[in-house]
Structure formats: structure tokens, C-alpha cells
């Protein structure tokens, strides 16, 4: 009996050869850090269900954005928590609203060194916690909501957002926002569409951080059914036709098939959102001593890259960036 001629292990024998033949990389420039800023806070406030994540004051947010810039993280996405909520979510487009203030302060601090992405939605700002305005019988009114999203996106662009990211899954939201931005003279502001966003149970900790759990019902009337794979392609193609510059799949880990499909069908830059529940599960297991959070973070993020994502929104952004810089 001869020796096996094919020996894949030759290329696994050491770190150097493994690095040469690695098909996928995870680098600091693949990361986007989600950040929360809350109006009226005097100190940053920890979010118990997201260990290591805080609700920022404007000042602590700016410090965090500067630290991420120094580490080479290319982008952040901002979520605001207002003091007052109302049925229309007026804080979302108020010129002095919490995210608009945070955008201006961050812009002043880092200029274009970090891409400032604003999540464009209403759920943090409405008293009922839904992502849109309601009809008299308590349903989310698609077209009335589009007018609100358009106003929110323009307010965010006015305040210095380089990218707006509509996350409410209303039909026609990308086109409504593109038209409004163009009419307001913001033709250079890009749109990152949450194109395939599923109605996921993994958003629980985010709703603690953003204080936006729906007061009644759920989001299954607008977010996608986790059963559906082909529908994601239709959503992405529709958003691209409406003028999206980049598209996103969310959540990431349980939806790698969707990421791979979108990568295969579309050339547009593709983001994936490793959501709060994905992060919290790893942190909880690590706190129990059941697994190594850093190693699992790297592996899950590499898997999302391997599936085809160009960049990843992740609560691990800061720690992974520190590790990659050799400072973790
Ligand atoms: C809605 C929004 C949500 C997330 C991002 N944007 C929550 C939701 O749809 O209920 C979730 C992100 C996460 O879980 O990390 N504005």
C-alpha cells in the first residue's frame, strides 16, 4: 500500500502556511461598532443583558468614537434613546434630537476618519415601540411611516451622518429616503439598507439597550419570517432598484445561507449584523466559564465573512480591534 499522495495536512502544518492559504480574513476594516447614546444621562449606563456595552452620554460616545478611530475601526452606527417618546417619534427628526447631537459632536471630533452611520427608524422614539406610525386600529401604516423616515434621514444627514441605514422594513423606504435626501441637497449621503431583516428573538438585549420593546404585539407584520430564504433575495433586489448603496442581512449567524445567497446574486457591498442576542449568548456562556469569548467571537465573525459578508456590525468590534492591534 502506497502513501497517500493528497495530504491536505501539509498546508495545515504551521501558522505560516495556514496564513498563506487562508481563504477568508477578518480585519479591523471589516468591523462596524454599534453605539447607543441616551439623552439626559450624566454617566454612561451599563446594559446588563449586553455585558461590556453601555448607553453613552454624548461625551462618552465621542470618546468611544475616538478610541475606535485610533484602532482603525472604519465605521460606527448610532442608535439614540430619547427622554420623551410620542406616537410619531418626533425625537427622531428633531434638529436637537439625541442622535443629531451625537452626530454633530462626533463629526467635530473625528471628521471623516470614522464613517458615521445613523440607524434610521422610529422604534426608539415612539411611545408604542413600533418602527412606524400607527393606524387608528393599531397597525403600522406603511406609507405614513415613509414620510417620517424621509424626515428622519434628512435630519440625520443635516447633522453629519455620512450614511443612513433604514431598519424598519417598510415597503419603499429606500426610495422615499433617497428622494428626500436628494431634494434636500444630500446627494452624497449613502444608504445602507437593512434589506433582509428577520423578525428575530435575538433582538431582546438590544431592546433593553435602546428601550424600544413594542408595547403590544410584535414586529412580524413588517420584519421577515425566519422561514424564508428566497424572499431575502427579492428584498435585496428591490432595495438595490430603489437606490440602496449597500445592503445588509440581519441577524447574521443563523442566517449564513441568506448571506451566501445575497453574495451570489448581487455585487453591492454586503453587511451582516451580528445582533445583540448573538453577542449575549457568547458572553453568558463565557461568564459561566463554558467557552472562550474571544475565540468564539473570532470564529463567528470569520464564519460570517466566509459566507460572503464584506463587513459586520458587531458588539465585539472594540475588543476584536484591540486584539488585532495586539493590545487586547
Ligand atoms: C430597529 C432595530 C433593532 C435592531 C437594530 N435596529 C431592533 C428591532 O428590530 O427590534 C436590533 C439590533 C440588535 O439586536 O443588536 N431600529
Amino acid at each position: 500500500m502506497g502513501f497517500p499522495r493528497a495530504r491536505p495536512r501539509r498546508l495545515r502544518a504551521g501558522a505560516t502556511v495556514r496564513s498563506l492559504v487562508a481563504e477568508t480574513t477578518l480585519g479591523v476594516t471589516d468591523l462596524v461598532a454599534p453605539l447607543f447614546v441616551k439623552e439626559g444621562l450624566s454617566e454612561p449606563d451599563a446594559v446588563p443583558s449586553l455585558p461590556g456595552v453601555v448607553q453613552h452620554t454624548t461625551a462618552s460616545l465621542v470618546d468611544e468614537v475616538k478610541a475606535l478611530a485610533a484602532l482603525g475601526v472604519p465605521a460606527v452606527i448610532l442608535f439614540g434613546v430619547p427622554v420623551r417618546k410620542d406616537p410619531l417619534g418626533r425625537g427622531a427628526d428633531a434638529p436637537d434630537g439625541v442622535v443629531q447631537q451625537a452626530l454633530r459632536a462626533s463629526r467635530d471630533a473625528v471628521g471623516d476618519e470614522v464613517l458615521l452611520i445613523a440607524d434610521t427608524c422610529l422604534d426608539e422614539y415612539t411611545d408604542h415601540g413600533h418602527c412606524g406610525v400607527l393606524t387608528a386600529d393599531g397597525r403600522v401604516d406603511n406609507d405614513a411611516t415613509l414620510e417620517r423616515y424621509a424626515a428622519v434621514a434628512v435630519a440625520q444627514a443635516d447633522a453629519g451622518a455620512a450614511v443612513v441605514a433604514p431598519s424598519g422594513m417598510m415597503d419603499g423606504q429606500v426610495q422615499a429616503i433617497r428622494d428626500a435626501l436628494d431634494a434636500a441637497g444630500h446627494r452624497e449621503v449613502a444608504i445602507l439598507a437593512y434589506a433582509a431583516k428577520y423578525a428575530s428573538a435575538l433582538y431582546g438585549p438590544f431592546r433593553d439597550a435602546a428601550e424600544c420593546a413594542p408595547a403590544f404585539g410584535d414586529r412580524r407584520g413588517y420584519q421577515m419570517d425566519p422561514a424564508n430564504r428566497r424572499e431575502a433575495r427579492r428584498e435585496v433586489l428591490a432595495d438595490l432598484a430603489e437606490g440602496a448603496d449597500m445592503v445588509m442581512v440581519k441577524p447574521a449567524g443563523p442566517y449564513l445561507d441568506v448571506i451566501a445567497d445575497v453574495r451570489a446574486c448581487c455585487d453591492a457591498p454586503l453587511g451582516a449584523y451580528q445582533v445583540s442576542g448573538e453577542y449575549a449568548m457568547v458572553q453568558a456562556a463565557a461568564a459561566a466559564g463554558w467557552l472562550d469569548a474571544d475565540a468564539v467571537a473570532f470564529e463567528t465573525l470569520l464564519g460570517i465573512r466566509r459566507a460572503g459578508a464584506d463587513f459586520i456590525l458587531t458588539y465585539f468590534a472594540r475588543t476584536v480591534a484591540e486584539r488585532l492591534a495586539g493590545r487586547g
Side-chain angles (χ1 to χ4, degrees):
M1 201 184 73
F3 301 113
R5 296 176 67 84
R7 287 184 181 268
R9 289 187 53 195
R10 288 185 191 113
L11 303 185
R12 295 176 199 147
T16 310
V17 67
R18 286 196 298 270
S19 74
L20 177 71
V21 300
E23 297 174 33
T24 308
T25 58
L26 178 68
V28 67
T29 59
D30 304 323
L31 304 172
V32 180
L35 301 174
F36 301 95
V37 58
K38 182 170 173 176
E39 197 172 11
L41 272 189
S42 49
E43 293 292 325
D45 203 0
V47 181
S49 55
L50 284 175
V53 174
V54 301
Q55 293 178 321
H56 281 289
T57 67
T58 306
S60 72
L61 178 96
V62 168
D63 288 345
E64 182 69 12
V65 172
K66 284 193 210 156
L68 289 162
L71 287 164
V73 173
V76 297
I77 181 164
L78 302 187
F79 298 92
V81 186
V83 170
R84 266 180 302 282
K85 304 188 183 221
D86 61 55
L88 298 178
R90 287 199 176 84
D93 56 322
D96 61 348
V98 57
V99 157
Q100 279 68 260
Q101 290 188 32
L103 285 165
R104 282 195 202 92
S106 302
R107 215 2 117 119
D108 287 348
V110 298
D112 293 330
E113 206 187 331
V114 175
L115 198 67
L116 298 176
I117 307 176
D119 183 82
T120 305
C121 200
L122 292 179
D123 57 329
E124 296 96 341
Y125 301 90
T126 52
D127 52 8
H128 46 73
H130 278 287
C131 297
V133 300
L134 302 181
T135 60
D137 60 351
R139 298 163 67 88
V140 174
D141 183 334
N142 192 87
D143 297 0
T145 299
L146 295 183
E147 291 175 30
R148 296 290 301 123
Y149 286 179
V152 175
V154 170
Q156 292 170 336
D158 286 345
V163 181
V164 295
S167 63
M169 291 300 283
M170 296 301 129
D171 295 331
Q173 62 186 13
V174 173
Q175 185 181 330
I177 287 171
R178 185 72 271 159
D179 288 348
L181 289 173
D182 291 351
H186 290 300
R187 283 179 293 271
E188 303 307 320
V189 171
I191 298 177
L192 165 60
Y194 284 71
K197 175 175 177 181
Y198 287 86
S200 174
L202 291 163
Y203 304 152
F206 173 94
R207 292 175 189 171
D208 295 339
E211 301 177 16
C212 66
F216 64 90
D218 55 44
R219 304 207 203 288
R220 282 183 280 194
Y222 38 104
Q223 298 177 348
M224 283 177 61
D225 185 341
N228 293 354
R229 177 172 176 171
R230 297 188 305 268
E231 187 189 359
R233 217 166 75 103
R234 290 214 308 279
E235 284 280 2
V236 165
L237 291 170
D239 281 1
L240 290 171
E242 288 179 30
D245 300 285
M246 302 177 272
V247 292
M248 199 202 297
V249 172
K250 173 182 173 190
Y255 296 84
L256 296 180
D257 55 336
V258 176
I259 294 172
D261 282 356
V262 173
R263 174 73 301 152
C265 81
C266 306
D267 293 332
L270 171 59
Y273 199 144
Q274 183 180 55
V275 301
S276 57
E278 296 178 75
Y279 174 86
M281 289 192 293
V282 175
Q283 294 291 15
W290 295 341
L291 47 73
D292 173 342
D294 281 338
V296 175
F298 267 85
E299 185 176 335
T300 55
L301 292 167
L302 195 63
I304 295 162
R305 290 267 301 137
R306 193 187 61 240
D310 295 309
F311 56 90
I312 307 167
L313 291 71
T314 174
Y315 302 95
F316 289 117
R318 169 109 189 229
T319 49
V320 167
E322 285 169 347
R323 287 290 296 262
L324 290 170
R327 275 185 248 158

